[in-house]
Amino acid sequence: GEGKTTVSENLAFALAQMENVLLIDADMRRPSLGARFGLSSSHPGLSNLIAGSANLASCIHHDEQSGLDLIPAGAIPRMPQELLASDRFERLLNKLREKYDRIIIDTAPLQVVSDAQVVSRVADSMLYVVKSDSTRQKVVESGIRKLYKVGANLEGLVLNQVDTSSKSSNYGEYYGYYGGRYD
């Protein structure tokens, strides 16, 4: 519920305005990106690529509206972490790096399974998405420790779903002041 998939998608949309971008749904336990782009659940994707049951061309979906490419999660495997930890996944990313300026990888939640930690070993950098006024500080600290423990290059934390109208914060006043300037 932190909104990590929405953040991944919006980051990909923003970067696709300037660069050649690929968005990968590596949440092979509860995939959602394919459906957001109107793809059927049977569309081949990342799991199929890593397992060798589909080729790259059949797994990439080009979104005409945004200009970005998407690799959905594909068939839900029995052991997603094994696929993500495989040499085949690393080789696939290296091949994709030759074609794309940016690759955004959406993973399963860090506190639920260790897929994000596994992906971090081959990712250039990581962003940790946290839901404002919901995710406890101890949970955030634990997640950050997990990423550092595996040597992840944690670039930053995204504080998501901030209530700008809350009377307990100054966000409403701050954005209210600037909001008139951007209308």
Side-chain angles (χ1 to χ4, degrees):
E2 279 86 6
K4 63 179 183 49
T5 299
T6 300
V7 169
S8 298
E9 186 178 19
N10 287 332
L11 180 60
F13 284 150
L15 291 170
Q17 293 179 27
M18 303 172 290
E19 299 176 330
N20 191 15
V21 176
L22 174 66
L23 177 60
I24 299 176
D25 191 348
D27 186 349
M28 293 185 271
R29 297 166 195 275
R30 294 186 63 197
S32 62
L33 280 170
R36 289 180 183 217
F37 284 82
L39 301 176
S40 75
S41 59
S42 63
H43 193 283
L46 183 61
S47 64
N48 306 95
L49 275 172
I50 299 170
S53 63
N55 64 26
L56 185 59
S58 68
C59 295
I60 292 181
H61 169 75
H62 180 73
D63 182 58
E64 290 294 332
Q65 187 174 1
S66 65
L68 68 83
D69 285 349
L70 167 75
I71 297 179
I76 296 176
R78 272 187 338 105
M79 305 291 282
Q81 192 175 58
E82 285 184 13
L83 290 178
L84 295 171
S86 71
D87 289 339
R88 290 185 77 153
F89 178 59
E90 185 172 3
R91 286 194 305 270
L92 172 65
L93 282 182
N94 288 333
K95 180 179 179 180
L96 292 168
R97 281 181 175 111
E98 295 172 7
K99 181 178 179 185
Y100 293 96
D101 300 316
R102 302 281 178 174
I103 301 171
I104 310 294
I105 304 171
D106 184 39
T107 67
L110 178 64
Q111 297 298 338
V112 178
V113 292
S114 55
D115 295 5
Q117 292 166 273
V118 171
V119 170
S120 75
R121 73 177 178 81
V122 293
D124 295 329
S125 64
M126 302 285 287
L127 290 176
Y128 188 27
V129 179
V130 175
K131 184 176 179 181
S132 176
D133 295 327
S134 177
T135 310
R136 296 182 161 207
Q137 184 175 339
K138 287 184 181 185
V139 173
V140 174
E141 290 170 353
S142 169
I144 290 170
R145 277 193 303 275
K146 285 179 180 182
L147 290 172
Y148 281 141
K149 186 176 181 179
V150 297
N153 181 18
L154 184 60
E155 292 285 343
L157 186 137
V158 175
L159 184 60
N160 200 23
Q161 301 180 41
V162 175
D163 181 4
T164 59
S165 66
S166 170
K167 294 191 185 292
S168 65
S169 73
N170 292 328
Y171 290 114
E173 292 176 24
Y174 178 80
Y175 286 107
Y177 172 76
Y178 285 103
R181 293 180 158 190
Y182 296 113
D183 284 348

